[in-house]
Structures are given as C-alpha cells and as structure tokens.
C-alpha cells in the first residue's frame, strides 16, 4: 500500500484570529483485558492457526520455514510445521563506528543515526546554507502532468550524494558544493499509473566487496520507476550496467503473474544487503478486491537474476485477495543474517469477507533469512485487518538495556500509534504485548468475520488516545455552526478497532490509516538509548456501500479521499475528512507531535507539538502542531533534524528535552528523511524539499545542505 496521510483540513483566517494554544494531549492505554501469555517459539515453531471468529489471529511469534525452491520462498501455510533456524551470526556490529548514510534510512538498522559531533546543541543555531541545487523535476499538476511528490532521502556514498527525482532521473552531486557530477534520465513515462501523483523516494547503492579497478559497475546506483522498471547505473559515470537485466534494466513486471491489475510500482528504493538487492512494490489502493499478491524479490546486484522470492499470502487464497505487500523501507541485521519486512494489509482493505481464512503474515513484522528468503519469525500486529493499518515503516533495530540486561531489540511503529518492541532474534516480547477484546460488527456488513482480539503493547504507552472519540475542537464547531457536533453524533465509535459499517454516516476512524506514525519511522540514538518519533492526529470517517448503492452514488476521489470501488467486492467505500464546511478539522489539536522514548524503561521522556499548520498563507500557533510526512534523523551530539511539517520548515531539536534549537524555511514541505554526512572534515545536514499535496498545494525541487560556517 502507499502511505495514506491526509490533509488536516483547510484552516481559515477566522480560525487563526480566534485560535488558542491547545492543552497537552496525554496518551492513554486502552482498557486492559486479561493478559495472554506470550510464549517463546520452540524449535518446531509453527504459524498459529486462528479460529473462524478471529481470522489471522496470532498470539505467539511465528517461527516457520515455508516450503521453497532455490528461487521461491513461499508464505507460511496455516499449520505448517517447518522451521527456519537462525542463520549463523557474523561479527558485524549493528551500529558502525564510522558515519554511514548510504541507504534510505541512513543505515540498514533504520536508526537514522550519525555518530558525528561537529554540530552540537551549542552551535547548531549557527547553521547556514552551504549549497542548494534545483533539479527542475517538479509538477503542480498543470501542463498535462500529474502532481509530483518527492520523498527521496539523499544517499551519501562513493564520495558522492545521489538523489532520485519524481521524473525518474538520477542526479549525482558533489557533497561539498552541490555541483553536478552526472545525471541519468530513465525516460520513463510520466503517468500516474498506480498513484495519484508522480512519486519517488530515492535511489539505492551497492558496491563490490573488492572492487576491480578499471571495471565498470563495481559500484552501482539503482532507480525504480512507477511502471516497474529497475535501472542499474555505474555509480562513477551514470552509464547503464549492461550485464544487469537487459542492457541495464530489469522489468520486474515480468513477475507480475497473478491478478495483474496494475504494474508493481518501484517507488521505494530497494534495500541492499551484502550481495542482495531486495525489492517490495507499491500498488493501487482501494481499487480492487483481487489484486497482485504481496511479493518481495531478491536479485543479484550485478545481473538482476532472481535469488529468491517471498510471498506473504498463502497459495490457496492468493488469487481471491491480494497485496499484503511491502511498499516501504526494510531493515536488516547483517550480523544475524536477518531481513525485517513491514508487511501491509490484504485486499480489499475495508472488507474482508473474501479472506476469512488465516493470512498470518499480513499486517506483520516478518523476519527472513537473508540468504534464503525463508521465514524465521513473524509477529502479526493486526488480525484480519479491515482498516488499512499497513505496517508502513521499516522496523528500527536497537540494542537496549532493560532491567540491567542488554536486549537485541526491534521497535515497530504503526499507524495505530503503537510502538511494538520485540527481541529481533526471536520475535518475543521485550515488554508484554496483550491480546485484548475488540468490538465486533453491527450486522450491517454481509460476509464479514471479525477478529475477537487485537495485540496491545503495554510499553511504550500508545502515542494516541484511541479509547474514546477525539474531542471536538470548539472553534471549528463554533465556526461550523455546530456541524462538527452533529457529525460526531452520527458516527459510531467504540475504540480504534470499530469495524467499518453501512449504518448512518459510517464509523469514525481514529487514528485511521492516515494517523499515527507514517513511513518515516523511528530514529534511535544508541548513546543515550533514546528513540525519537513524529506522528499525526487525524480523524476521518468510513462508510461501506453495497455495490448497487455505490454504483448510484459514487463520485470522484481526491487526494486519497472520496469514493473508492473495491471492484469485485460486494461493497465500495467512501472516506472523508472529519471537517466543517470551511475545511477546518473538527478534532482538537495538536495535529502533530514529536516524542522521545527512554528505551531503558519504555517510558516517554518528553513530547511536544511539532510543526505549524498552514493554509491560505496563514499559520496556526506551533502549539497546535502539523500533520507530518517524513521522519527524523539523530546525531551523537544530542540533536534531532527533521523536516516533515506542513509549514515547509526544517528544524533541529534537542534529544534531551525536545527544545527547538534551529529552523529554516525551504521551498516546500521537506517530506523526506534528512541525511547527515561528513565530507572533507565538514559535517552536513541535507534535506530534499519536494512537497506532498496531501499536506498542501506546494511542490518543490530543492536539495539543500546546511553546515557550520567555515573557519
């Protein structure tokens, strides 16, 4: 699935004049049910089958090996008793002592952490623009081009800064000056085939362990396109690597053989681990009941030959459903030989009557043996997902000290505002994760079967209070002449897992697929054992419409808002922002926050509103925050760097107390993770300011690097 953050709503000048700073929001846990014992997987661990009343339910880590050939690692069938043991460990540290920013999340552990200390809390206020570069690759939706969305993390490798653009070009820049070294144009068609916009999240980098001097493609940059082409380029020259695929291009859509309704769009750069280039793909949300089934491919970095293939959906239901794909970044522990997949939900997203049989790897974190693609363990975070609660960010790997013992941990952030923490070797709980009862349906949806329980972490506490309807923003209700209160009265809500309905105006969706933590994920400072995460408060409402009714009333859809057919299912759907007639959010601010978690205790150290909401040139107070897209980076000197907010600013915060220490305006919302690198003895922080019209109608093509003044 693609990420689904929605605009927080238009904010009027009248609201600006009357707005007051919001009271702090306190996260509350859902009411506790009896704890479910989480048992360690045995040497014969199996995928836990679920009852018909709770499809997909798993209360223990799954540890199983799918049946596989040398090129295919299938999903774990219900009841399979196979087992993939942990690969042998290698002496590769989780955190490199050297500064590394050569992948989408900075490092394969997804910590987004730099050990650099030249920029500190004392001097960060002196940061200045070292250089900027404009790619020219942006679109506001005019000139017969779709709007551009640019979320590319700049990759620093080979003494070069590499960026991919939403026009599917690669630009290699001098890291110290921004001067162009080379460019490559894939000449891909600029069509919105699976997404509402042209979209790119950057490039990936590989180099041979022992590069052969004078030989091409010992160092390679990879670019994916929306029409499922993967390009391999010589990192020094930008020339195509002729031995890769066909003349330097691999057509991944050749492997799209089941329910091939759309191309397997390669918008997220591959994850490169050792001699594996590993790809998930993005699809077309909410359009079909049966869609391409979620597949992850590993290919040889120099030839593109498939090494293994992972399928998240069991073979016996693969043709009647689809997706459960990996559309976002992955992480890896090279020492353990494990690859960690954030797996999305099956199709159709808001009705599951076609998939009542267990799909235990859907909406999960799944650990694979890197060399074989076989499942080592898996934890499902939403049973029988009918809310589009994709696991949408790479799990962050971290070594933490709990009760005086070092734990090899993994933190999985979610759209629900949950932060699940497990042992990354085994999938076992670090702090208890409880199965708690959740609401069933109201009888209005035929064929649906509801999970009886869902997993709830006990620590860290939920980032959002999901137990009750969000409080109505009094100002929006007043300006809307009571329309927010009237809407709230018409929407059912019995906690976060209230199922979609056909009754009334539908069900209130909070945090819904738009809220919580998005694909930017969690950053981690290993020196202080502090996790940093930004997240959104968004309220929407969903209604399912029987097919005949849907066909009569269906209108258009906007930026992932409006009517969606779920073609082939008995229900189409509508999704709307909970706003008043002026477009003001009906829910109480803050609309976005940033928080720090002490990973020794699992307690939140601090949290504060983040960013400022903007519309028609007006800004609301920062105490009200902003919906955010993109994530943070952290440094050993105790700094957090982040763009991500609606107001098109980039900022630095203190890891210790969350105090804002520096900011600057950029061309558009910097909806990409920043990069931190050192070049010729100088530390740089680089942002891509490309915008996302889900936040506001402002796009950009700016790459901008900051550094301290030269002495």
């Amino acid at each position: 699935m693609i990420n689904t953050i929605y605009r927080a709503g238009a904010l009027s000048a009248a609201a600006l004049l009357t707005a007051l700073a919001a009271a702090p929001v306190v996260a509350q846990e859902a009411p506790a049910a009896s704890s479910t014992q989480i048992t360690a997987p045995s040497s014969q661990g199996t995928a836990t089958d679920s009852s018909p009343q709770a499809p997909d339910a798993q209360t223990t880590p799954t540890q199983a090996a799918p049946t596989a050939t040398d090129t295919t690692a299938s999903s774990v069938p219900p009841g399979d008793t196979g087992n993939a043991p942990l690969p042998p460990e290698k002496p590769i540290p989780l955190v490199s002592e050297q500064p590394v920013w050569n992948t989408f999340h900075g490092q394969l552990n997804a910590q987004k952490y730099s050990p650099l200390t030249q920029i500190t809390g004392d001097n960060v206020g002196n940061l200045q623009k070292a250089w900027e570069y404009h790619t020219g690759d942006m679109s506001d939706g005019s000139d017969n081009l779709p709007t551009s969305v640019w979320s590319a993390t700049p990759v620093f490798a080979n003494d070069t800064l590499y960026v991919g653009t939403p026009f599917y070009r690669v630009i290699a820049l001098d890291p110290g000056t921004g001067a162009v070294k080379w460019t490559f144009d894939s000449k891909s068609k600029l069509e919105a085939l699976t997404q509402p916009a042209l979209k790119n999240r950057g490039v990936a980098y590989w180099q041979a362990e022992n590069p052969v001097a004078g030989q091409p493609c010992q160092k390679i940059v990879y670019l994916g396109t929306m029409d499922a082409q993967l390009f391999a380029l010589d990192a020094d020259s930008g020339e195509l690597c002729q031995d890769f695929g066909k003349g330097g291009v691999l057509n991944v859509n050749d492997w799209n053989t089941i329910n091939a309704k759309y191309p397997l769009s390669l918008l997220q750069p591959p994850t490169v681990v050792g001699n594996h280039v590993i790809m998930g793909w993005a699809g077309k949300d909410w359009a079909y009941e049966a869609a391409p089934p979620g597949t992850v491919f590993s290919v040889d970095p120099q030839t593109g030959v498939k090494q293994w293939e992972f399928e998240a959906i069991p073979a016996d239901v693969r043709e009647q459903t689809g997706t459960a794909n990996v559309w976002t970044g992955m992480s890896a522990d090279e020492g353990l030989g494990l690859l960690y997949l954030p797996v999305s939900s099956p199709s159709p997203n808001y009705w599951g009557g076609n998939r009542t049989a267990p799909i235990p790897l859907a909406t999960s974190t799944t650990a694979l043996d890197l060399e074989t693609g076989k499942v080592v363990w898996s934890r499902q975070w939403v049973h029988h997902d009918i809310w589009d609660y994709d696991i949408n960010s790479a799990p962050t790997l971290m070594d933490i000290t709990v009760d005086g013992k070092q734990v090899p941990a993994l933190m999985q952030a979610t759209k629900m505002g949950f932060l699940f923490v497990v042992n990354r070797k085994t999938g076992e709980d670090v702090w208890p994760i409880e199965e708690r009862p959740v609401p069933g349906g109201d009888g209005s949806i035929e064929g649906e079967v509801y999970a009886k329980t869902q997993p709830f972490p006990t620590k860290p506490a939920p980032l959002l209070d999901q137990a009750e309807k969000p409080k109505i923003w009094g100002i929006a209700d007043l300006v809307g002449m009571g329309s927010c209160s009237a809407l709230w009265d018409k929407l059912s809500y019995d906690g976060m897992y209230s199922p979609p309905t056909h009754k009334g105006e539908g069900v209130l969706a909070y945090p819904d697929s738009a809220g919580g933590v998005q694909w930017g994920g969690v950053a981690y400072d290993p020196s202080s054992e502090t996790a940093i995460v930004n997240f959104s408060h968004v309220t929407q409402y969903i209604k399912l419409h029987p097919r005949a009714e849907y066909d009569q009333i269906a209108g258009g859809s906007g930026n992932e808002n409006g009517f969606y057919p779920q073609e082939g299912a008995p229900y189409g759907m509508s999704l709307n922002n909970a706003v008043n007639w002026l477009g003001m959010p009906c829910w109480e601010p803050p609309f976005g926050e940033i928080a720090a978690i002490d990973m020794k205790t699992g307690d939140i150290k601090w949290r504060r509103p983040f960013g400022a909401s903007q519309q028609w040139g007006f800004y609301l107070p920062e105490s009200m925050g902003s919906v955010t897209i993109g994530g943070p980076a952290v440094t050993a000197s105790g700094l957090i760097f982040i763009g991500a907010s609606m107001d098109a600013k980039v900022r630095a915060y203190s890891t210790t107390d969350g105090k804002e220490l520096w900011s600057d305006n950029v061309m558009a919302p910097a909806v990409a993770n920043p990069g931190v690198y050192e070049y010729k003895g100088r530390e740089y922080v680089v942002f891509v300011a490309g915008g996302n019209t889900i936040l506001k109608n402002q796009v950009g093509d700016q790459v901008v690097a900051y550094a301290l003044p030269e002495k």
Side-chain angles (χ1 to χ4, degrees):
M1 305 288 121
I2 60 173
N3 54 302
T4 51
I5 298 178
Y6 308 92
R7 186 188 218 155
L11 300 169
S12 68
L16 178 67
L17 296 174
T18 54
L20 300 174
V25 172
V26 180
Q28 300 177 5
E29 294 186 26
S34 58
S35 173
T36 299
Q37 180 69 32
I38 307 295
T39 58
S42 70
S43 62
Q44 295 298 320
T46 63
T48 303
D49 205 353
S50 57
S51 70
Q53 289 75 32
D56 304 352
Q58 283 182 264
T59 58
T60 61
T62 297
Q63 207 177 19
T67 55
T69 66
D70 57 344
T71 60
T72 302
S74 305
S75 64
V76 181
D80 184 37
T81 57
N83 176 270
L86 276 168
E89 294 190 30
K90 303 173 184 177
I92 302 175
L94 181 68
V95 180
S96 171
E97 294 181 359
Q98 301 301 316
V100 174
W101 216 276
N102 61 2
T103 190
F104 180 74
H105 286 299
Q107 310 85 33
L108 287 171
N109 56 30
Q111 289 185 0
K112 297 175 281 290
Y113 166 76
S114 173
L116 297 174
T117 58
Q118 188 178 97
I119 304 171
T120 68
D122 292 331
N123 63 27
V124 67
N126 298 324
L127 276 188
Q128 62 183 26
K129 190 181 296 181
W131 57 263
E132 67 177 303
Y133 174 78
H134 292 270
T135 69
D137 291 1
M138 66 177 182
S139 170
D140 61 4
S142 59
D143 297 327
N144 296 316
L145 281 179
T147 303
S148 57
V149 169
W150 194 23
S151 308
T153 301
V155 168
F156 176 69
N158 192 33
D159 280 341
T160 304
L161 203 67
Y162 299 100
V163 294
T165 82
F167 285 13
Y168 310 112
R169 294 197 305 136
V170 181
I171 301 170
L173 300 172
D174 182 289
T177 66
V180 175
K181 291 187 172 183
W182 56 259
T183 66
F184 170 80
D185 188 350
S186 70
K187 295 182 171 57
S188 179
K189 291 184 179 180
L190 302 184
E191 298 177 359
L193 300 173
T194 60
Q195 310 292 299
L198 302 175
K199 186 178 293 187
N200 173 268
R201 292 205 180 106
V203 299
Y205 176 84
W206 172 87
Q207 70 175 46
E209 187 174 354
N210 297 298
V212 179
Q215 293 294 314
C217 297
Q218 302 297 291
K219 303 174 182 179
I220 300 176
V221 174
Y222 304 92
L223 172 74
T225 66
M226 194 176 296
D227 60 357
Q229 308 299 301
L230 184 68
F231 291 80
L233 312 172
D234 183 282
D236 291 323
S237 67
E239 298 294 323
L240 285 167
C241 295
Q242 295 298 320
D243 293 335
F244 185 86
K246 294 182 179 179
V249 187
L250 180 65
N251 184 1
V252 175
N253 220 44
D254 285 343
W255 300 329
N256 184 8
T257 58
I258 300 175
N259 302 331
K261 302 290 181 64
Y262 44 70
L264 306 182
S265 294
L266 305 178
L267 307 179
Q268 176 72 34
T271 298
V272 177
V273 194
N275 282 324
H276 299 273
V277 175
I278 303 161
M279 296 169 285
W281 50 265
K284 191 170 186 176
D285 271 355
W286 314 331
Y288 303 105
E289 175 191 33
T295 313
V296 173
F297 306 104
S298 176
V299 303
D300 181 276
Q302 290 182 296
T303 67
V305 171
K306 191 195 298 183
Q307 298 164 325
W308 52 256
E309 177 177 325
F310 163 81
E311 291 279 5
I313 299 178
D316 57 348
V317 297
R318 203 167 289 160
E319 293 189 8
Q320 69 198 50
T321 175
T323 60
N325 54 325
V326 178
W327 57 258
T328 187
M330 309 170 210
S331 50
D333 186 329
E334 292 183 277
L336 294 180
L338 293 179
L339 175 74
Y340 301 95
L341 309 182
V343 184
S344 74
S345 57
S347 65
N349 295 98
Y350 293 98
W351 179 76
N354 67 321
R355 47 181 172 89
T356 57
I359 307 179
L361 300 184
T363 317
S364 74
T365 303
T366 295
L368 304 183
D369 182 312
L370 176 63
E371 296 303 322
T372 66
K374 294 181 179 180
V375 174
V376 174
W377 61 261
S378 183
R379 291 297 295 269
Q380 185 174 69
W381 304 126
V382 182
H383 309 319
H384 192 62
D385 188 350
I386 50 174
W387 300 273
D388 193 30
Y389 279 147
D390 296 349
I391 304 306
N392 62 350
S393 62
T396 302
L397 314 183
M398 53 184 73
D399 293 325
I400 61 178
T401 307
V402 179
D403 297 329
K405 298 179 181 179
Q406 189 174 71
V407 178
L410 170 155
M411 175 180 274
Q412 181 64 74
T414 69
K415 294 180 178 181
M416 300 88 78
F418 287 155
L419 302 171
F420 292 103
V421 184
V422 298
N423 185 306
R424 68 177 180 272
K425 288 186 179 181
T426 65
E428 299 171 88
D429 299 1
V430 172
W431 293 289
I433 299 169
E434 300 175 349
E435 288 286 328
R436 298 178 182 171
V438 293
D442 59 13
S444 68
I445 305 303
E446 294 182 6
E448 189 60 272
V449 177
Y450 302 95
K452 289 185 174 181
T453 66
Q454 295 289 355
F456 287 75
T458 56
K459 277 194 171 185
L463 298 171
L464 306 171
D465 178 6
Q466 315 119 327
E468 298 179 354
K469 281 184 180 180
K471 293 181 179 178
I472 294 172
W473 187 17
I475 295 170
D477 201 29
L478 180 64
V479 173
M481 296 176 289
S483 60
C484 292
S485 295
L487 178 61
W488 255 231
D489 289 342
K490 295 175 183 176
L491 295 172
S492 62
Y493 188 76
D494 191 21
M496 176 178 61
Y497 288 110
S498 300
T501 179
H502 175 56
K503 291 184 177 180
E505 293 295 324
V507 63
L508 184 141
Y510 179 75
D512 104 319
S513 69
V517 185
Q518 286 293 322
W519 55 260
V522 175
Y524 180 67
D525 176 7
S527 59
S528 64
E529 297 192 36
T530 301
I532 303 296
V533 60
N534 58 295
F535 52 99
S536 299
H537 299 252
V538 177
T539 303
Q540 295 189 292
Y541 56 103
I542 298 164
K543 186 172 181 178
L544 294 182
H545 306 273
R547 180 58 53 196
E549 176 184 293
Y550 179 87
D551 291 342
Q552 287 183 345
I553 68 171
S557 57
N559 235 337
E560 299 182 31
N561 190 288
F563 287 91
Y564 294 87
Q566 300 192 137
E567 183 181 308
Y571 295 91
M573 56 158 297
S574 59
L575 180 73
N576 293 283
N577 293 327
V579 297
N580 67 13
W581 67 277
L582 272 177
M584 296 171 62
C586 282
W587 65 98
E588 198 173 67
F591 306 122
E593 295 184 82
I594 188 168
I597 298 99
D598 183 341
M599 293 306 297
K600 295 184 289 293
T601 64
D603 296 329
I604 293 178
K605 294 171 66 172
W606 54 260
R607 61 188 294 170
R608 55 159 291 163
F610 165 65
S613 296
Q614 179 190 10
Q615 187 68 20
W616 303 324
F618 294 99
Y619 291 90
L620 286 178
E622 287 197 26
S623 60
M624 293 184 176
S626 163
V627 176
T628 71
I629 302 177
V634 294
T635 70
S637 57
L639 295 176
I640 304 162
F641 290 101
I642 187 169
S645 60
M646 184 185 289
D647 55 6
K649 283 188 175 182
V650 293
R651 293 175 167 86
Y653 293 101
S654 164
T655 306
T656 304
D657 57 14
K659 181 180 178 181
E660 184 176 317
L661 303 174
W662 169 84
S663 69
D664 194 29
N665 292 308
V666 290
M667 184 178 183
V671 292
N673 294 340
V676 182
Y677 63 91
E678 182 179 47
Y679 184 66
K680 294 184 177 179
R682 195 179 187 194
E683 181 180 348
Y684 294 84
V685 182
V686 61
F687 295 88
V688 160
N692 188 322
T693 51
I694 290 173
L695 287 181
K696 65 176 180 177
N697 294 321
Q698 184 178 13
V699 296
D701 67 342
Q702 182 187 33
V703 185
V704 55
Y706 295 91
L708 295 173
E710 293 186 282
K711 295 180 181 179

